[in-house]
Structures are given as structure tokens and as C-alpha cells.
């Protein structure tokens, strides 16, 4: 029986690995939500590592990259993240993103498939409508009070952080930059990945209607499948095991 060991290995500025893989599976790269850091996916990494080598992306402007300015350009972030993943380009490679991370994972997938000259194992997009669906109101333009209220409604940020004005003052600049990157992002017409796409959402996530998730089918030349889980926008925070099993099943099916 393989024992999972906590590693917290830093390969480069962009990539973290918290757990050793428990099986010979693909390399799965996880992209956090807006305002999120690599540690947000620590519990999910623990579950996924049973069947994959799990890497988690660390965005600039938070945790150990706090001194770096957060990017306001999603394509710029994607280009840098793709370069950071080049050491794994010869591995069976899959990407998972939640919310903003879904858009970023899609853009990184486009770049990696072009650089590798072959398709990825799969792309899993979670909690995010397809790029063709407008973002709606511009959250990055809200003042601090209304932006904090928006975070509280999403129920993905610890209440103690929202109540701590000093911590909030540190976190809000990168969060606002992330929202600006998402809300000013425009997809390139006709740009499709070759790998299959799996789309996940919380059934109670009103910000990602079922039909808006379904539009991801237009962003791949391969197959597209969808899964729906109980919960809101941050459904995966209480369903890591269920989500991990779904991801590993989807990726195994694509590799067979």
C-alpha cells in the first residue's frame, strides 16, 4: 500500500506539489479560483493524488508570491503558466480549473497542445460558464465594501478573513486583479482544444446555469461531458472526494 507523504515541493514560482502520487496516473495540473492560492486545492490534491501526479498552480500576488504584482491579463497569466509547465510536457497531461481557473486552464491547454504537438489527456472546467457567455456586471469595479459583500454571498471565503480588515487589505488587490483579468478576457473565435472537456457545476450555482456550462462543447474538437453536484459555486469545498473520483474516472476513460 502506497503511503501519501506531504511534500509542499516548489518546482518553480508557478507550480506546487503537496502530495506524492499513489498510482501511475497522468500529471494533473489544478488552477484555483479568483483570489485563490495553491493551498486552496490542498484537500482536493490529497484526494486526486490516489490516481494522478497532482500539481497546483500558484498565481502571483498571494502567499509566497505576495511581493509580486498580480496580473490583470488572463492571457499573460496563461502564457507564463504554460512556460512553467514545460518540464512536464512529455508526460500524459491533464488540466483542472475552478471558476477563473477554468478559463485559465483552457488558455493554457491551447498553448500546451500547440507546443507539444499532441492533445492533452483531458480538460476539466468547473464552476465557470463557457468563454462565449458574458461575465455580467463588472465586479472588479466595486468598492471594497461591495466587493467584500460579493465574496460573502459566494460563500467560498472564510468568514474570519472577511471580518479581518488587515488580512482583507492584503487579499483584495490580487482578488480585484483576478476579477479584472476574467472580466476583460475575450476568447479567440474558433480556438478549440483537441482533448475532451468535462464540465462540472454545483446544482445550486445560479451564476453558472446548465446551458451556460453546456456551451463548453463548442471549445473542443473532441468529446464533451457534464457532471452536476449538489451545492453552490464552491460545491467542491465540501465534496473533494466525490469530485476527485469523478475527475479520475473521466481521465481514465479518456486514456483507455
Amino acid at each position: 500500500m502506497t503511503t501519501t507523504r506531504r511534500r509542499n515541493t516548489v518546482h518553480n514560482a508557478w507550480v506546487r506539489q503537496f502530495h506524492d502520487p499513489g498510482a501511475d496516473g497522468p500529471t494533473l495540473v489544478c488552477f484555483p479560483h479568483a483570489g485563490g492560492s495553491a493551498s486552496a486545492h490542498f484537500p482536493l490534491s490529497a484526494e486526486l493524488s490516489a490516481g494522478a501526479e497532482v500539481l497546483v498552480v500558484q498565481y502571483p500576488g498571494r502567499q509566497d508570491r505576495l511581493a509580486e504584482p498580480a496580473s490583470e491579463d488572463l492571457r499573460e497569466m496563461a502564457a507564463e503558466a504554460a512556460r512553467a509547465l514545460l518540464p512536464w510536457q512529455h508526460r500524459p497531461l491533464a488540466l483542472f480549473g475552478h471558476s477563473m481557473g477554468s478559463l485559465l486552464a483552457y488558455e493554457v491547454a491551447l498553448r500546451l497542445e500547440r507546443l507539444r504537438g499532441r492533445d492533452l489527456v483531458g480538460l476539466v472546467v468547473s464552476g465557470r460558464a463557457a468563454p462565449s457567455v458574458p461575465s455580467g456586471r463588472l465586479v472588479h469595479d466595486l468598492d471594497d465594501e461591495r466587493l467584500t459583500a460579493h465574496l460573502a454571498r459566494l460563500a467560498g471565503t472564510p468568514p474570519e478573513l472577511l471580518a479581518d480588515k488587515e488580512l482583507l487589505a492584503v487579499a483584495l488587490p490580487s482578488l480585484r486583479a483576478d476579477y479584472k483579468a476574467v472580466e476583460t478576457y475575450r476568447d479567440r473565435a474558433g480556438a478549440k482544444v483537441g482533448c475532451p472537456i468535462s464540465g462540472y457545476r454545483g446544482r445550486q450555482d445560479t451564476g453558472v446555469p446548465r446551458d451556460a456550462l453546456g456551451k463548453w462543447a463548442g471549445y473542443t474538437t473532441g468529446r464533451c461531458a457534464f457532471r452536476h453536484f449538489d451545492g453552490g459555486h464552491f460545491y467542491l469545498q465540501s465534496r473533494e472526494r466525490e469530485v476527485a473520483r469523478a475527475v479520475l474516472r473521466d481521465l481514465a476513460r479518456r486514456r483507455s
Side-chain angles (χ1 to χ4, degrees):
M1 180 176 178
T2 302
T3 301
T4 299
R5 302 187 302 277
R6 295 187 180 184
R7 296 174 51 175
N8 199 19
T9 302
V10 178
H11 292 285
N12 55 47
W14 283 85
V15 182
R16 305 289 177 272
Q17 185 175 11
F18 298 120
H19 304 91
D20 284 329
D24 184 23
T27 296
L28 176 62
V29 185
C30 298
F31 294 79
H33 56 278
S37 59
S39 62
H41 279 330
F42 185 93
L44 185 62
S45 168
E47 298 293 342
L48 287 168
S49 291
E53 177 191 31
V54 182
L55 309 177
V56 186
V57 171
Q58 180 77 297
Y59 306 141
R62 61 218 74 195
Q63 290 189 328
D64 56 335
R65 301 189 68 186
L66 187 62
E68 302 175 51
S71 177
E72 297 180 346
D73 187 316
L74 193 133
R75 284 205 180 91
E76 179 183 278
M77 292 175 69
E80 293 187 33
R83 283 194 293 272
L85 292 170
L86 289 180
W88 293 270
Q89 65 175 318
H90 300 298
R91 287 272 301 151
L93 196 60
L95 307 183
F96 172 92
H98 181 70
S99 197
M100 177 188 82
S102 294
L103 295 179
L104 192 54
Y106 160 70
E107 283 287 335
V108 170
L110 289 172
R111 287 162 174 78
L112 289 178
E113 288 193 340
R114 185 172 65 249
L115 289 168
R116 288 158 51 96
R118 66 184 191 277
D119 296 345
L120 302 181
V121 173
L123 170 62
V124 182
V125 292
S126 166
R128 181 71 203 182
S132 58
V133 180
S135 295
R137 68 174 184 161
L138 298 182
V139 175
H140 78 269
D141 280 338
L142 297 177
D143 60 29
D144 287 356
E145 183 177 351
R146 287 186 293 171
L147 182 55
T148 303
H150 171 77
L151 296 177
R153 287 192 295 272
L154 288 178
T157 305
E160 57 270 23
L161 172 58
L162 296 178
D164 190 319
K165 291 185 178 180
E166 290 186 4
L167 284 177
L168 203 57
V170 173
L172 283 182
S174 61
L175 176 73
R176 195 181 299 279
D178 287 352
Y179 269 107
K180 184 174 182 179
V182 170
E183 292 165 355
T184 58
Y185 166 74
R186 299 294 180 270
D187 62 313
R188 289 164 288 181
K192 299 183 180 185
V193 296
C195 65
I197 291 180
S198 295
Y200 295 1
R201 66 180 283 272
R203 290 189 178 92
Q204 289 75 48
D205 187 355
T206 57
V208 186
R210 185 182 293 259
D211 61 336
L213 183 72
K215 292 183 185 299
W216 276 106
Y219 288 84
T220 177
T221 59
R223 293 170 294 169
C224 199
F226 302 97
R227 295 182 183 271
H228 308 274
F229 301 84
D230 286 336
H233 186 64
F234 285 100
Y235 71 92
L236 55 78
Q237 289 186 352
S238 59
R239 298 186 175 276
E240 288 93 352
R241 181 165 296 180
E242 182 182 355
V243 173
R245 286 174 178 171
V247 171
L248 294 176
R249 281 198 302 267
D250 285 348
L251 297 182
R253 189 176 300 123
R254 275 72 187 272
R255 295 183 75 199
S256 61

